Amino acid sequence: MAEMSKGVTAGKLASNVQKKITRAQEKVLQKLGKADETKDVQFEEGVINFNKQLVEGSKLQKDLKAYLAAVKAMHESSKRLHECLADMYEPDWYGKDEMDSIAEDTDLLWTDFHQKLVDHALISMDTYLAQFPDIKARIAKRDRKLVDFDSARHHFASLQKGKKKDEVKIAKPVSLLEKAAPGWAQGILSAHHVAQTNLSRNQAEDELGRAQKVFEDINEDLQEELPSLWNSRVGFYVNTFQSVAGLEEKFHREMGKLSQNLNDVMIKLEDQNQSGKAGKLGLKTTAAGKRQEGTNNTLSPRASGPPIPKSPSKLKPGPPVPPPPKVTPSKDVKQENIIDLFDDALVPEINVTSPSQCDSSGGGNLLDMDLDTLPAVSPGGVVSSPSSQAMSWNTWEQEKQASGTTNGSSDEAEMPPGFLYKVKAMHDYGATDGDELDLKAGDVVLVMSHENPEEQDDGWLMGVKEAHWLKKKDLKVKGVFPENFTQHL
């Protein structure tokens, strides 16, 4: 039994080798132009479309797998992000249970989205591409059978051409064997030769018929399948991308709801935090408001300093309280000459928040008062002598002329856009944010209108240093600064 199997295997191997040799010879003859080749232009176009369709489908499958991998990675990142939030979320914060529920629903939504993409897109893609390897193998087999058919056709044609030569040989012996044989034997030899020739011709004809039948069977099947497969690609692409688009739309819609719920929880948590701060700092806020109101209605700041305004950034603490002004009374000044500037009965109330206007409710207009009858008051709250009063007035006039605050002067035409008025820094201020302005005591600042008035916070001004503006004429270094560190000029 083993010997028989070996014999069958050896015979089949020899037959396959002989077929390969015959096909190689046939292809060489066809390339050299010594043998014609059967052509089918329509089938060749179908093969070109098949190869193109296979390449496009393989690329789509690769990109779809990459998309699913990205969805999986995004799922893991989202899960870790929510786990981090859950770890940081304290039990007494608002919406702890709601936040945990949102995280769980988000994880389930990602899982469902990925699984449906696999079911409706990836598996369908794999099924679509699974039919290509079999068709590709049959196309290759059809090419081999076509070469076998051409080879059998050429062999039979060559035998047909040699038929006339055989007939001549029968009529006129040409071989040495026939010439040497006696007359009665020559007829037998000729008949034997004719029989061999006819046998070869019949075998060639049978081989041609078999080769033609095998080729035509495969060719007919492929002629029907290739156009059908080519036309099916449109419907497959439509179904695939409709599935992906529908799943994405549903996923993002549901994810948007969860994101909105999480945002609502964060807003309420912020409100809870703000209300907690307001409860703890209520008294302090009220006291600060009273101090601010008192500052706006006095001629100079109190020794304890004005309240701290809120920073425009709203994310950093307010600027430090300026140091109290130094009081250096003259040796000639007596204690009874010290005047309390906050005594409303002695000094009329003046609103310093607007340098061009005076508060009429504090006891009349200053223009109607006899200024000569009022004692001069120094910034430290000390009544000066007439000589020092004249000196102070002259000094003020010199500063006024040096600052260029007169209306209609040539300096006003060179002021930056939105210029309002000038102030002078009374204390040093170090900027704590990128949008703030560094100040040194004595700096003159050109105050400008805020670009967005609704964003301007109370107690802060926008401006640029006068020295920089006169030198550079640009607003690259403009910034905000606390109003209570400055004095109007």
mmCIF file of all heavy atoms in Angstrom, residues 328-347:
data_model
loop_
_atom_site.group_PDB
_atom_site.id
_atom_site.type_symbol
_atom_site.label_atom_id
_atom_site.label_comp_id
_atom_site.label_asym_id
_atom_site.label_seq_id
_atom_site.Cartn_x
_atom_site.Cartn_y
_atom_site.Cartn_z
ATOM 1 N N THR A 328 5.929 113.758 59.695
ATOM 2 C CA THR A 328 7.141 114.416 60.209
ATOM 3 C C THR A 328 6.808 115.866 60.515
ATOM 4 O O THR A 328 7.072 116.774 59.733
ATOM 5 C CB THR A 328 8.257 114.340 59.177
ATOM 6 O OG1 THR A 328 7.769 114.893 57.935
ATOM 7 C CG2 THR A 328 8.654 112.889 58.919
ATOM 8 N N PRO A 329 6.141 116.133 61.637
ATOM 9 C CA PRO A 329 5.752 117.521 61.971
ATOM 10 C C PRO A 329 6.977 118.377 62.267
ATOM 11 O O PRO A 329 8.022 117.888 62.683
ATOM 12 C CB PRO A 329 4.873 117.346 63.212
ATOM 13 C CG PRO A 329 5.342 116.056 63.818
ATOM 14 C CD PRO A 329 5.746 115.186 62.665
ATOM 15 N N SER A 330 6.820 119.649 62.003
ATOM 16 C CA SER A 330 7.897 120.608 62.270
ATOM 17 C C SER A 330 8.025 120.831 63.777
ATOM 18 O O SER A 330 7.102 120.624 64.541
ATOM 19 C CB SER A 330 7.591 121.940 61.565
ATOM 20 O OG SER A 330 8.531 122.909 61.936
ATOM 21 N N LYS A 331 9.189 121.205 64.180
ATOM 22 C CA LYS A 331 9.439 121.471 65.599
ATOM 23 C C LYS A 331 8.591 122.627 66.118
ATOM 24 O O LYS A 331 8.281 122.715 67.295
ATOM 25 C CB LYS A 331 10.917 121.766 65.832
ATOM 26 C CG LYS A 331 11.823 120.585 65.540
ATOM 27 C CD LYS A 331 13.269 120.924 65.816
ATOM 28 C CE LYS A 331 14.186 119.740 65.541
ATOM 29 N NZ LYS A 331 15.605 120.074 65.798
ATOM 30 N N ASP A 332 8.222 123.576 65.201
ATOM 31 C CA ASP A 332 7.458 124.742 65.607
ATOM 32 C C ASP A 332 5.978 124.459 65.740
ATOM 33 O O ASP A 332 5.216 125.287 66.197
ATOM 34 C CB ASP A 332 7.663 125.895 64.610
ATOM 35 C CG ASP A 332 9.132 126.299 64.545
ATOM 36 O OD1 ASP A 332 9.818 126.096 65.564
ATOM 37 O OD2 ASP A 332 9.553 126.811 63.488
ATOM 38 N N VAL A 333 5.537 123.282 65.294
ATOM 39 C CA VAL A 333 4.116 122.983 65.297
ATOM 40 C C VAL A 333 3.741 122.444 66.662
ATOM 41 O O VAL A 333 4.397 121.541 67.178
ATOM 42 C CB VAL A 333 3.767 121.958 64.199
ATOM 43 C CG1 VAL A 333 2.272 121.639 64.258
ATOM 44 C CG2 VAL A 333 4.135 122.526 62.845
ATOM 45 N N LYS A 334 2.675 122.957 67.199
ATOM 46 C CA LYS A 334 2.205 122.525 68.485
ATOM 47 C C LYS A 334 1.161 121.439 68.323
ATOM 48 O O LYS A 334 0.544 121.313 67.272
ATOM 49 C CB LYS A 334 1.617 123.712 69.252
ATOM 50 C CG LYS A 334 2.634 124.794 69.552
ATOM 51 C CD LYS A 334 2.018 125.917 70.352
ATOM 52 C CE LYS A 334 3.037 127.014 70.664
ATOM 53 N NZ LYS A 334 2.454 128.127 71.440
ATOM 54 N N GLN A 335 0.953 120.691 69.415
ATOM 55 C CA GLN A 335 0.024 119.560 69.356
ATOM 56 C C GLN A 335 -1.392 120.026 69.056
ATOM 57 O O GLN A 335 -2.141 119.329 68.394
ATOM 58 C CB GLN A 335 0.058 118.811 70.700
ATOM 59 C CG GLN A 335 -0.815 117.561 70.721
ATOM 60 C CD GLN A 335 -0.289 116.499 69.798
ATOM 61 O OE1 GLN A 335 0.906 116.469 69.529
ATOM 62 N NE2 GLN A 335 -1.194 115.645 69.280
ATOM 63 N N GLU A 336 -1.762 121.230 69.531
ATOM 64 C CA GLU A 336 -3.142 121.669 69.325
ATOM 65 C C GLU A 336 -3.401 122.061 67.888
ATOM 66 O O GLU A 336 -4.546 122.267 67.484
ATOM 67 C CB GLU A 336 -3.482 122.854 70.243
ATOM 68 C CG GLU A 336 -2.586 124.080 70.065
ATOM 69 C CD GLU A 336 -1.376 123.981 70.996
ATOM 70 O OE1 GLU A 336 -1.122 122.860 71.500
ATOM 71 O OE2 GLU A 336 -0.713 124.983 71.221
ATOM 72 N N ASN A 337 -2.310 122.195 67.057
ATOM 73 C CA ASN A 337 -2.499 122.549 65.644
ATOM 74 C C ASN A 337 -2.751 121.344 64.764
ATOM 75 O O ASN A 337 -2.935 121.481 63.565
ATOM 76 C CB ASN A 337 -1.273 123.311 65.120
ATOM 77 C CG ASN A 337 -1.147 124.687 65.765
ATOM 78 O OD1 ASN A 337 -2.153 125.284 66.160
ATOM 79 N ND2 ASN A 337 0.082 125.187 65.868
ATOM 80 N N ILE A 338 -2.651 120.121 65.355
ATOM 81 C CA ILE A 338 -2.924 118.912 64.571
ATOM 82 C C ILE A 338 -4.409 118.839 64.295
ATOM 83 O O ILE A 338 -5.232 118.905 65.210
ATOM 84 C CB ILE A 338 -2.472 117.644 65.313
ATOM 85 C CG1 ILE A 338 -0.983 117.750 65.648
ATOM 86 C CG2 ILE A 338 -2.754 116.413 64.482
ATOM 87 C CD1 ILE A 338 -0.102 117.804 64.424
ATOM 88 N N ILE A 339 -4.800 118.704 63.058
ATOM 89 C CA ILE A 339 -6.211 118.713 62.659
ATOM 90 C C ILE A 339 -6.590 117.314 62.202
ATOM 91 O O ILE A 339 -5.876 116.689 61.426
ATOM 92 C CB ILE A 339 -6.459 119.738 61.524
ATOM 93 C CG1 ILE A 339 -6.069 121.134 62.005
ATOM 94 C CG2 ILE A 339 -7.907 119.697 61.070
ATOM 95 C CD1 ILE A 339 -6.216 122.178 60.915
ATOM 96 N N ASP A 340 -7.687 116.847 62.720
ATOM 97 C CA ASP A 340 -8.224 115.562 62.265
ATOM 98 C C ASP A 340 -8.914 115.781 60.928
ATOM 99 O O ASP A 340 -9.933 116.462 60.841
ATOM 100 C CB ASP A 340 -9.205 115.024 63.298
ATOM 101 C CG ASP A 340 -9.667 113.623 62.932
ATOM 102 O OD1 ASP A 340 -9.192 113.105 61.892
ATOM 103 O OD2 ASP A 340 -10.499 113.076 63.677
ATOM 104 N N LEU A 341 -8.326 115.213 59.890
ATOM 105 C CA LEU A 341 -8.868 115.437 58.539
ATOM 106 C C LEU A 341 -10.207 114.759 58.349
ATOM 107 O O LEU A 341 -10.879 114.986 57.359
ATOM 108 C CB LEU A 341 -7.879 114.934 57.494
ATOM 109 C CG LEU A 341 -6.545 115.671 57.442
ATOM 110 C CD1 LEU A 341 -5.672 115.063 56.346
ATOM 111 C CD2 LEU A 341 -6.755 117.145 57.173
ATOM 112 N N PHE A 342 -10.559 113.864 59.253
ATOM 113 C CA PHE A 342 -11.805 113.148 59.105
ATOM 114 C C PHE A 342 -12.942 113.797 59.903
ATOM 115 O O PHE A 342 -13.999 113.200 60.096
ATOM 116 C CB PHE A 342 -11.627 111.693 59.569
ATOM 117 C CG PHE A 342 -10.560 110.993 58.796
ATOM 118 C CD1 PHE A 342 -9.288 110.838 59.320
ATOM 119 C CD2 PHE A 342 -10.826 110.518 57.528
ATOM 120 C CE1 PHE A 342 -8.313 110.206 58.599
ATOM 121 C CE2 PHE A 342 -9.857 109.867 56.800
ATOM 122 C CZ PHE A 342 -8.593 109.715 57.329
ATOM 123 N N ASP A 343 -12.689 114.983 60.428
ATOM 124 C CA ASP A 343 -13.724 115.692 61.153
ATOM 125 C C ASP A 343 -14.564 116.462 60.155
ATOM 126 O O ASP A 343 -14.126 117.450 59.583
ATOM 127 C CB ASP A 343 -13.085 116.650 62.166
ATOM 128 C CG ASP A 343 -14.129 117.254 63.090
ATOM 129 O OD1 ASP A 343 -15.333 116.974 62.873
ATOM 130 O OD2 ASP A 343 -13.729 117.981 64.012
ATOM 131 N N ASP A 344 -15.782 115.981 59.867
ATOM 132 C CA ASP A 344 -16.627 116.593 58.852
ATOM 133 C C ASP A 344 -17.085 117.994 59.244
ATOM 134 O O ASP A 344 -17.472 118.791 58.388
ATOM 135 C CB ASP A 344 -17.875 115.723 58.620
ATOM 136 C CG ASP A 344 -17.491 114.385 58.023
ATOM 137 O OD1 ASP A 344 -16.402 114.334 57.428
ATOM 138 O OD2 ASP A 344 -18.282 113.428 58.165
ATOM 139 N N ALA A 345 -17.009 118.288 60.540
ATOM 140 C CA ALA A 345 -17.459 119.616 60.963
ATOM 141 C C ALA A 345 -16.463 120.698 60.594
ATOM 142 O O ALA A 345 -16.810 121.854 60.466
ATOM 143 C CB ALA A 345 -17.697 119.636 62.484
ATOM 144 N N LEU A 346 -15.172 120.342 60.460
ATOM 145 C CA LEU A 346 -14.139 121.340 60.187
ATOM 146 C C LEU A 346 -13.835 121.453 58.711
ATOM 147 O O LEU A 346 -13.771 122.537 58.169
ATOM 148 C CB LEU A 346 -12.857 121.007 60.954
ATOM 149 C CG LEU A 346 -11.683 121.957 60.709
ATOM 150 C CD1 LEU A 346 -12.048 123.385 61.164
ATOM 151 C CD2 LEU A 346 -10.459 121.466 61.469
ATOM 152 N N VAL A 347 -13.664 120.331 58.045
ATOM 153 C CA VAL A 347 -13.258 120.350 56.638
ATOM 154 C C VAL A 347 -14.426 119.917 55.783
ATOM 155 O O VAL A 347 -15.032 118.863 56.043
ATOM 156 C CB VAL A 347 -12.073 119.396 56.404
ATOM 157 C CG1 VAL A 347 -11.640 119.448 54.950
ATOM 158 C CG2 VAL A 347 -10.921 119.788 57.302
#
